Amino acid sequence: MTQGASPSPVELEVFRHLFTAVAEEMGAALRRAAFSPNIKERRDYSCALFDPEGTAVSVGDHMPVHLGAMPMSVEAALSELGALAPGDVACLNDPFQGGTHLPDVTLVSAVHTPEGTLLGYVASRAHHSDIGGSTPGSMPLAREIYEEGIRIPPVRLYREGVRNEDLWRTVLANVRTPRERAGDLDAQLAALNAGTTRLLEIAARRGTYATLAAMRALIAYADRLVAIGLDRIPDGTYRAEDSLEDDGFGTGPIPILAELTVAGSILTIDFTGTSPQVPGGVNAVAAVTASAARYVVRCVVEALIGEALPAGGGSMSALRLVLPAASVVNAAPPAAVAAGNVETSQRVTDVLLRAFGEALPDLMPALSQGTMNNTTVGGVDPRTGDAFAYYETMGGGMGAGPSGEGLSGVHVHMSNSLNTPVEALEHAYPLRVTRYEIRRGSGGAGRHRGGDGLRRDLMVLGPARVALLSERRKVAPRGARGGHDGSVGENVLIRAGVEEPLPSKATFSVDAGDVVSIRSPGGGGWGTPGQPEP
């Protein structure tokens, strides 16, 4: 490609796949090198490639709640640290500076050609099973962010290839599982190295100018597709409301309101009227809300145009967000935010899907389980005498849609992780899975039935602390177009065979032989039951 020329459609498609492969290979490198089951088995990580301006070019098929926020991490790193030199690695997890919640640690590095031209940035984000704080697993029932773990603003973990040993030792001194954390951070560095190597190979083979031009063209192409999709939504204003059930400290229900205004190819989402931030950790920072909004817009656009957007999703310049200050969708420090990333992001998704359902009633699905069923267990492993911290989210029912039934026992919307296989879980932790099954009939009835939830019973083999952060235990996922609601979830503690109901959010101690039973919600049904297909 000559300088000044734009890539042809064929060239652009080739670059599209090359850039996507960069992010996917980064993820594979991270997964293979990781120490913790949470990353290597559950795949609770995300990797992405950015252009020199910090706009996402490609993101791996990883965690939606991470990927919409990662551009803000890159922006925060560059704003705070200035230009990143070759060999520099920025590190951050601060939710108020581009992060999501404290366990999600992001590493960012710049990619320069041998001649010194900046090609862009690569970033890896991984959920660390413990990052300090008041309870093992760093997902506590907390009133302030200081209780949730160590908070890392954008800082240089590496400067020109030399590790900042003071920072490294400080971080590892504040976590319960330093060896595992060190291994997972090294795996994130391996992901950056893989991305850097592949991007340099692309530039060496295709040309530096052609590579940079393809990045710009791919982002512009994605933006055109978004504009085409939005233009197919009837102009107007559409509103929806839903609520978080509680914050764990007696506040609730906690309303989330969204007003969508469609004007041609411009979409404004206004969250005015949403609850102010609350004492408990269901507060979401702006990056999380932006992630949920980008995800829903992308889903709607792809459904309308019948084509997948490029992996980066474009700049989303057609999307305008209005986020009330110090609210549960735009929290301010020192708010606790651990559950905002995992629970409030799901409710924001639900609200936006319902709002789009006002405009496109025959296209939008019923609501899915609407929670990640976060479970953390930690203490001292009686088998080894070492500290352990287990974290897991759990699948549930997917909402049915106009084209078919919802899937059962899957992670939905803002979560895209897997489950930890029973064998890996029992090998790594002093836990036994005594029951793991689909909750038959928990999906809502309809012309298309909602997916069923799951039940998983975990027996602890020694004294431990447990933290639960979940939703949809009181209000069921809604059906659509006459479909029935799915079943609510349940949390239960089983001691000596006796079941004790647990709240949706709790931190408590357990003894050897106790069983924590998590029963996830089913998805809503779509269409009136018994109604024939058109």
Side-chain angles (χ1 to χ4, degrees):
M1 185 191 305
T2 59
Q3 188 163 339
S6 297
S8 69
V10 172
E11 289 173 324
L12 188 61
E13 189 67 11
V14 170
F15 273 109
R16 173 178 178 168
H17 287 282
L18 288 172
F19 294 146
T20 300
V22 170
E24 292 292 349
E25 185 171 344
M26 290 174 65
L30 200 168
R31 182 176 69 251
R32 288 195 303 267
F35 275 37
S36 67
N38 188 55
I39 296 174
K40 66 185 179 184
E41 301 288 356
R42 287 191 60 245
R43 306 188 185 186
D44 197 345
Y45 61 82
S46 298
C47 297
L49 167 67
F50 300 84
D51 75 356
E53 284 71 48
T55 303
V57 175
S58 68
V59 295
D61 188 14
H62 303 143
M63 301 288 285
V65 75
H66 291 174
L67 298 173
M70 287 178 74
M72 295 186 180
S73 295
V74 175
E75 179 184 350
L78 299 179
S79 175
E80 187 76 16
L81 303 176
L84 296 178
D88 286 2
V89 176
C91 174
L92 64 109
N93 75 344
D94 188 349
F96 305 108
Q97 295 191 70
T100 47
H101 62 175
L102 296 181
D104 288 342
V105 178
T106 303
L107 302 185
V108 182
S109 63
V111 182
H112 296 84
T113 67
E115 296 75 30
T117 301
L118 176 63
L119 285 175
Y121 301 90
V122 287
S124 62
R125 171 172 287 175
H127 183 114
H128 288 254
S129 298
D130 187 271
I131 201 71
S134 61
T135 63
S138 309
M139 295 287 287
L141 192 60
R143 293 179 181 271
E144 292 184 312
I145 194 169
Y146 311 113
E147 302 174 63
E148 295 180 334
I150 185 171
R151 184 172 157 199
I152 308 168
V155 291
R156 282 181 173 83
L157 180 60
Y158 280 77
R159 185 185 293 272
E160 297 182 2
V162 178
R163 189 168 72 188
N164 183 340
E165 294 296 336
D166 291 340
L167 173 62
W168 184 261
R169 291 170 55 215
T170 297
V171 171
L172 297 185
N174 281 277
V175 300
R176 296 170 177 84
T177 51
R179 180 175 176 273
E180 188 174 87
R181 299 287 64 72
D184 286 348
L185 286 169
D186 281 341
Q188 288 185 250
L189 292 167
L192 298 185
N193 182 66
T196 298
T197 299
R198 292 294 173 259
L199 185 57
L200 288 173
E201 288 177 353
I202 292 170
R205 182 175 180 181
R206 304 278 174 174
T208 297
Y209 174 80
T211 301
L212 292 172
M215 288 182 176
R216 293 191 295 269
L218 197 59
I219 293 167
Y221 173 57
D223 287 345
R224 289 198 300 273
L225 291 179
V226 171
I228 291 170
L230 293 177
D231 213 31
R232 295 181 181 179
I233 302 172
D235 282 2
T237 299
Y238 309 97
R239 300 176 180 84
E241 177 180 354
D242 206 333
S243 297
L244 295 161
E245 293 169 346
D246 65 87
D247 71 341
F249 291 102
T251 301
I254 303 163
I256 297 176
L257 283 70
E259 180 179 272
L260 278 58
T261 301
V262 182
S265 59
I266 300 298
L267 170 65
T268 301
I269 303 178
D270 188 345
F271 287 92
T272 299
T274 292
S275 168
Q277 64 191 46
V278 294
V282 297
N283 306 293
V285 294
V288 169
T289 305
S291 282
R294 285 176 63 105
Y295 165 77
V296 173
V297 170
R298 181 168 184 162
C299 289
V300 172
V301 165
E302 290 182 348
L304 286 169
I305 67 175
E307 179 180 345
L309 297 182
S315 68
M316 286 286 172
S317 57
L319 175 62
R320 312 279 193 267
L321 290 180
V322 179
L323 304 177
S327 67
V328 295
V329 294
N330 185 16
V337 298
N341 180 61
V342 288
E343 296 302 296
T344 307
S345 66
Q346 296 281 47
R347 194 62 67 255
V348 169
T349 299
D350 288 347
V351 171
L352 295 180
L353 287 173
R354 291 177 65 180
F356 275 112
E358 296 295 310
L360 305 163
D362 293 326
L363 182 68
M364 291 296 99
L367 297 188
S368 297
Q369 67 161 337
T371 177
M372 296 192 198
N373 306 290
N374 304 269
T375 306
T376 55
V377 185
V380 176
D381 190 334
R383 304 171 301 178
T384 63
D386 295 331
F388 78 96
Y390 159 79
Y391 169 71
E392 183 137 27
T393 57
M394 197 167 86
M398 176 186 288
S403 60
E405 295 186 345
L407 299 177
S408 297
V410 293
H411 290 265
V412 293
H413 295 318
M414 302 309 289
S415 172
N416 190 35
S417 61
L418 304 179
N419 74 167
T420 304
V422 172
E423 298 84 355
L425 189 158
E426 293 184 344
H427 173 76
Y429 306 110
L431 302 170
R432 291 290 178 269
V433 179
T434 60
R435 187 168 176 173
Y436 198 7
E437 64 192 25
I438 292 176
R439 297 179 69 201
R440 301 292 180 186
S442 56
R447 182 198 304 171
H448 299 146
R449 188 174 186 86
D452 292 330
L454 292 171
R455 173 175 173 170
R456 181 171 54 200
D457 291 4
L458 285 176
M459 177 185 287
V460 298
L461 303 184
R465 291 282 288 172
V466 177
L468 302 177
L469 294 173
S470 59
E471 276 281 322
R472 294 297 190 206
R473 268 48 183 174
K474 300 174 185 176
V475 180
R478 294 278 296 275
R481 306 294 282 167
H484 294 183
D485 297 348
S487 298
V488 296
E490 298 177 78
N491 301 330
V492 177
L493 178 63
I494 305 173
R495 280 182 166 145
V498 178
E499 294 194 356
E500 305 174 17
L502 293 169
S504 61
K505 300 167 187 68
T507 301
F508 55 95
S509 297
V510 290
D511 297 318
D514 289 350
V515 175
V516 179
S517 178
I518 307 299
R519 303 162 190 183
S520 63
W526 196 94
T528 303
Q531 187 179 64
E533 296 287 347

